[in-house]
Amino acid sequence: NLRRKAVVSTQSTGAEVESAFFSLISMIQLLSQVDQIEETSKKLSNAIVADTTSERLPLKSRLLSQQFNCYQPSLRSTYVLLVNVLKLVVETGQLRLVTLDINQISEWMTKWKCDVQEQRDVYRLLHEAFSAIQQGEKAIQALVRLLKLFSENEGVEAKSDAHICVISHIAHPKIFVMDHLLDLHPIRALDGQLSHELLQIFVDGDLNDYIEFYNNNVDFVEKLAVTHEENLRKMRLLTLASMAQDCNEIEFSQLGEKLNLAEEDLEPFVIEAIGSGLIKGKINEPEGKISISSTINRTFKDPQWLFIKNKLEMWQKNLVIIQESMRKGHFAVPIGGG
C-alpha cells in the first residue's frame, strides 16, 4: 500500500506523483512515535528506489531529495535516505536540491552512531557520487576519509580503493602534496606494487625518476586514467619545487637541463609554476634566472618541523624584545629583522 502511494501509477503525471508524495510525507510526520516516523520514512525511501522505470529517474531524484530535506538530520532513518540519495546521484550523474557537505555528513554519522561499515559505505558512495557529477577534489576527499577507516590489519581489504586514491591524486592537476597518503594503511598494503612505487615518485622523486619508471612500465602507465604527458607536466612542476627548496636562485640553463625543456619553453613553464602557487618568485630575464622567495614542501618531516620550531622560537623572542622596548619607552630591532 505504501509503495503504491509512493509510486502511484504509471499513468500519473509527475505533478500528481509529487502532490501525493508531499501529502504522504505530511501524514508520516504526524505519527506520534519517533520510531514509527523513522520506520515509515525508510519504507517510503526504499519504495522510491525500488521503482526501476528509467523514465522516472528525474522524478525519483526530486522525490528522494525532497524527502531528505523534509526530515531532521538527527533522525537515525536519515542515514537510509542519504544512502538512497547518493545511489541515485551515482546512477543519474545529477545532484538535485541536496547539498553534499562531507564535514556535515561526518557530523551526522556521529549523531546517528553509525558503525564503521556504515561510514565506509557512505564515504564510498560519496566518492562515487562526486565523481559522477565531476567534482573530483571532493571525490578525493571522500576517498581519503574512507581509507582512514581501515586499520593496519584491514588495509588489504581496501587495496582497490587505495589504487584509485593514488591515481586520483596523481591525475588531479591542482594536487601536488601527497606524502600524507603514505600513512594510510590501505596505501601501505600496496607496497611492492607499481601504483605504490609511482606514488613514491610523486611524493619525493624527480622527473628522471618518473621517466625511468615509465620506460620500465609503459603498459601500466598507458592504462591509467591519466596520460603520460600529464604526468610529465606534474613531475616537472614537482621537480622545480624541490630545486627551489635548496636555493634562492635557479639559472635557466640549469632548469632546462633538469627538466628537459627547450629554452623557449622555460619562461611559460615558470609562469605556470608561479600561477599554480607551487613557487613564489619572479623571472630575472636579463640575467636568465629565477629568483625564489618560497615554495611548497612536498614532504613534511623532521626538517620541516625543526624549521617551524625555530621560526616560533624567533617570534617568541621578538615579542619579548618588543614588550620590553615598549615598557622602557624605546624601540629595539627584533631578531631576524621582524
Side-chain angles (χ1 to χ4, degrees):
N1 184 38
L2 178 62
R3 180 173 174 177
R4 285 199 303 272
K5 288 182 179 179
V7 181
V8 195
S9 71
T10 55
Q11 284 76 35
S12 302
T13 66
E16 290 172 334
V17 173
E18 289 187 72
S19 176
F21 184 76
F22 274 119
S23 298
L24 192 53
I25 287 180
S26 299
M27 292 168 59
I28 292 173
Q29 291 177 329
L30 291 174
L31 294 172
S32 58
Q33 300 296 323
V34 173
D35 57 344
Q36 288 181 320
I37 295 174
E38 297 210 57
E39 185 62 29
T40 310
S41 66
K42 284 193 290 186
K43 288 180 179 179
L44 177 60
S45 176
N46 290 333
I48 296 170
V49 173
D51 181 2
T52 58
T53 311
S54 59
E55 311 88 75
R56 288 183 178 267
L57 277 177
L59 176 61
K60 286 169 58 179
S61 180
R62 291 199 303 274
L63 296 182
L64 274 178
S65 299
Q66 289 164 351
Q67 185 188 12
F68 181 80
N69 290 327
C70 282
Y71 285 89
Q72 299 267 344
S74 57
L75 290 175
R76 183 64 171 82
S77 59
T78 312
Y79 172 85
V80 175
L81 306 187
L82 174 63
V83 168
N84 284 335
V85 166
L86 292 175
K87 287 179 178 178
L88 205 56
V89 173
V90 174
E91 185 178 2
T92 63
Q94 295 179 340
L95 178 63
R96 298 174 182 270
L97 308 174
V98 174
T99 300
L100 297 180
D101 183 292
I102 296 177
N103 291 328
Q104 185 179 64
I105 290 173
S106 178
E107 291 176 7
W108 288 343
M109 288 196 288
T110 301
K111 290 180 181 178
W112 299 334
K113 297 181 180 179
C114 294
D115 60 32
V116 173
Q117 188 56 53
E118 287 175 322
Q119 293 178 60
R120 290 174 183 172
D121 291 342
V122 165
Y123 284 128
R124 186 174 280 113
L125 279 170
L126 275 170
H127 168 255
E128 294 174 0
F130 282 129
S131 298
I133 58 176
Q134 307 299 312
Q135 294 188 18
E137 197 161 343
K138 290 183 179 180
I140 289 172
Q141 292 172 11
L143 196 52
V144 170
R145 294 212 183 193
L146 168 65
L147 298 187
K148 286 181 177 179
L149 292 173
F150 289 85
S151 67
E152 183 175 2
N153 295 331
E154 299 170 325
V156 68
E157 299 174 19
K159 286 175 68 174
S160 60
D161 295 308
H163 173 79
I164 294 171
C165 186
V166 167
I167 304 308
S168 297
H169 276 76
I170 291 172
H172 198 288
K174 295 182 179 180
I175 294 179
F176 296 103
V177 178
M178 310 178 204
D179 65 326
H180 60 287
L181 297 181
L182 296 174
D183 293 329
L184 299 174
H185 294 300
I187 300 290
R188 290 182 179 181
L190 294 175
D191 192 17
Q193 298 186 15
L194 291 176
S195 54
H196 192 277
E197 185 180 346
L198 184 60
L199 171 63
Q200 193 68 61
I201 291 172
F202 276 84
V203 167
D204 56 17
D206 62 18
L207 179 64
N208 289 334
D209 294 326
Y210 171 73
I211 291 174
E212 181 180 355
F213 176 89
Y214 175 75
N215 290 334
N216 292 332
N217 304 282
V218 174
D219 290 342
F220 172 78
V221 175
E222 294 296 334
K223 292 177 182 177
L224 297 177
V226 56
T227 67
H228 174 55
E229 289 70 26
E230 290 169 330
N231 289 339
L232 286 174
R233 169 196 168 271
K234 179 173 279 192
M235 279 310 308
R236 285 192 173 102
L237 290 168
L238 292 172
T239 301
L240 172 58
S242 295
M243 294 172 69
Q245 283 183 325
D246 300 326
C247 55
N248 295 324
E249 294 181 339
I250 303 175
E251 301 284 343
F252 268 6
S253 57
Q254 178 190 3
L255 188 62
E257 181 179 351
K258 186 73 174 177
L259 302 183
N260 192 25
L261 284 174
E263 183 178 352
E264 63 270 18
D265 295 327
L266 288 174
E267 187 170 330
F269 171 78
V270 173
I271 292 172
E272 180 187 1
I274 294 173
S276 69
L278 203 63
I279 63 169
K280 290 183 179 179
K282 59 182 180 180
I283 298 172
N284 188 335
E285 196 168 353
E287 297 185 24
K289 62 185 179 183
I290 317 165
S291 298
I292 307 292
S293 57
S294 66
T295 183
I296 65 163
N297 288 308
R298 294 178 62 188
T299 59
F300 209 87
K301 297 178 181 176
D302 289 345
Q304 285 74 37
W305 283 115
L306 181 61
F307 175 80
I308 290 178
K309 175 178 177 291
N310 292 338
K311 270 286 187 184
L312 291 173
E313 289 177 349
M314 186 182 73
W315 289 344
Q316 188 177 35
K317 290 176 182 177
N318 287 341
L319 286 173
V320 172
I321 292 172
I322 292 170
Q323 287 174 337
E324 186 65 19
S325 297
M326 292 175 66
R327 187 180 66 80
K328 293 179 178 179
H330 60 81
F331 180 77
V333 178
I335 299 170

